[in-house]
Amino acid sequence: MSRAASDHKALRRTVPLLALVTAIVVAIEFVVVGLLPSMARDLRISLAAAGGLVSAFALSAALLGPLLTLAATRIQPRRTLSAVATIFGIGNLLAAAVPSHGLLLAVRIVEGAILPVFVSVGAGVIAILASSERQGRAIAQVNIGTIAGLVFAVPAGVALGTSADWRAVFAGLGVLALAGAAALAIGLPTVSTSCRPNVGQQAMILRSPLVLGHLVLSATVFAAMFASYAYLAAILEIEAGYRGVQVAVLLMGFSAIGLIGNAIGGRVADRRPTEGTVAALLVVTFAVGAISVAGGHSWSFLPLLALWGAGHAAGFVLCQVRVMSAADQAPAFAMSLNIAACNLGIAVGAVTGGALIEASGLRMLGVGTAAFAALAVSSAVIIQRIDQLRRAASKVQAGS
């Protein structure tokens, strides 16, 4: 069997496996969003303090994720991915067995730090196995795991958390993560790490103003989105009056509509990723602002919620494509940096949203989203200017 045929066979086995475990990891990250009200009640903490579980995960990913990704460069990816999934599993089981706010915070910090490692190393495996013309398609197929985690696992966790106990949700996801770790250890192929850029070569992308500008844009976009999204379950319960399974169904609908936004964002990303990012964010800002003004009992609530979900998902895919395109010489490290920037934005957005709730209630979340959106639009304008200057300089060099 030729090398190409062998790699293709390994790729066909690897893609669904990575997609499945990615769905579990994404569910572990975001299930807390839907469980915040019940966790706050059970742990006897404020909603803003419970929101800290979202921001702690995100801040840890932002600060520690890229460093750990660089450290894992020369380790066999199969070992790295299996180890990361194992840590997710053990952490969730520990949090379920000893439910305290302090321990939960510690677990979320550890899990946040290793999330970029899992995503970036997994993408690196795909890049090695896939031919150049199939890399994008293969990575997109793995990203279906992210969508599945948001569409199905998170709302299912919310439904279980309201009908049983949020700790059961944590335990169940922990068991699934351990099973995924075993599957990765057995099913992933061994790939060469000798051809990867060294640490110094990868770190060179940090000297690019364009890459840095895109990272700032990702951070501000996610701050805008998560200033409100982190408290979506609370909006559905407190503002709109939905309960239990109804909240889970609406969260599933929110994410399912996101499939449309993801598809639109994917198409726009190939042509005008920066402009598309701004457009998606403006959609989110309009929807959140309108909900904040009209309240949860307006006839327009569900259409606005659908619009919010589509813009939210489009923002995810557009931010990923922008940064990887700007740093194609080190895509895995660029992806880890983008995850870090996005999670920094999530942390800042969640904290800001919590402060606004404490000060003036849920209806002020639209103000936080709009403020961060204004910063994001300013960042996008600067990026466009940097790109224009870069293109002009390239033309001058080509003509000389």
Side-chain angles (χ1 to χ4, degrees):
M1 182 183 296
S2 68
R3 170 68 184 276
S6 176
D7 284 351
H8 180 66
K9 183 177 180 180
L11 182 67
R12 292 180 61 184
R13 183 174 74 248
T14 300
V15 166
L17 184 55
L18 280 176
L20 179 62
V21 184
T22 297
I24 297 168
V25 169
V26 168
I28 288 174
E29 177 179 8
F30 288 109
V31 73
V32 173
V33 171
L35 295 174
L36 280 185
S38 61
M39 293 178 73
R41 287 190 294 267
D42 188 51
L43 296 172
R44 297 182 179 180
I45 57 177
S46 68
L47 190 60
L53 297 173
V54 177
S55 56
F57 188 108
L59 192 59
S60 178
L63 296 177
L64 301 176
L67 295 176
L68 292 177
T69 300
L70 281 177
T73 297
R74 297 297 177 181
I75 301 174
Q76 178 56 230
R78 181 176 61 185
R79 296 178 181 176
T80 299
L81 293 170
S82 179
V84 168
T86 299
I87 294 171
F88 268 103
I90 293 174
N92 261 43
L93 290 176
L94 185 61
V98 188
S100 73
H101 183 233
L103 180 61
L104 271 169
L105 203 59
V107 167
R108 297 287 290 178
I109 288 171
V110 172
E111 290 178 342
I114 60 177
L115 173 72
V117 179
F118 186 89
V119 176
S120 303
V121 172
V125 171
I126 296 299
I128 291 171
L129 294 177
S131 58
S132 58
E133 65 272 12
R134 293 181 59 87
Q135 285 182 9
R137 189 186 312 172
I139 291 175
Q141 290 171 342
V142 173
N143 284 341
I144 291 175
T146 300
I147 299 171
L150 291 169
V151 173
F152 300 110
V154 173
V158 174
L160 288 172
T162 52
S163 62
D165 191 311
W166 64 265
R167 287 169 287 192
V169 178
F170 268 65
L173 287 172
V175 171
L176 288 175
L178 291 177
L184 291 171
I186 296 171
L188 282 185
T190 299
V191 297
S192 172
T193 60
S194 60
C195 60
R196 295 186 183 183
N198 61 37
V199 171
Q201 291 170 329
Q202 294 184 71
M204 286 292 290
I205 65 174
L206 291 171
R207 299 177 61 182
S208 166
L210 188 62
V211 172
L212 295 177
H214 278 294
L215 293 174
V216 170
L217 179 56
S218 290
T220 51
V221 165
F222 271 70
M225 294 197 301
F226 276 80
S228 47
Y229 177 73
Y231 302 95
L232 178 55
I235 292 172
L236 294 174
E237 282 193 18
I238 298 170
E239 283 292 308
Y242 293 100
R243 293 289 179 268
V245 175
Q246 292 176 323
V247 173
V249 170
L250 285 173
L251 286 173
M252 182 177 289
F254 181 94
S255 298
I257 289 293
L259 290 171
I260 298 174
N262 183 73
I264 295 173
R267 292 183 179 183
V268 173
D270 289 332
R271 300 186 297 273
R272 306 182 75 88
T274 303
E275 294 91 334
T277 301
V278 171
L281 182 56
L282 291 178
V283 168
V284 170
T285 304
F286 168 77
V288 174
I291 287 174
S292 298
V293 171
H297 302 288
S298 167
W299 64 268
S300 61
F301 178 78
L302 292 180
L304 288 170
L305 189 66
L307 195 63
W308 182 0
H312 186 83
F316 267 77
V317 65
L318 284 159
C319 283
Q320 178 175 318
V321 171
R322 278 189 304 98
V323 177
M324 290 187 69
S325 297
D328 54 2
Q329 69 272 35
F333 183 48
M335 183 179 288
S336 74
L337 289 172
N338 190 54
I339 294 170
C342 292
N343 277 280
L344 180 61
I346 291 173
V348 173
V351 169
T352 302
L356 289 170
I357 291 171
E358 290 284 291
S360 305
L362 284 164
R363 292 199 178 189
M364 285 296 292
L365 292 178
V367 174
T369 294
F372 285 120
L375 292 175
V377 171
S378 299
S379 300
V381 171
I382 294 172
I383 286 172
Q384 294 289 66
R385 181 57 179 162
I386 292 173
D387 195 34
Q388 288 172 0
L389 293 173
R390 182 182 63 86
R391 291 175 186 272
S394 298
K395 289 181 179 180
V396 170
Q397 289 179 354
S400 60

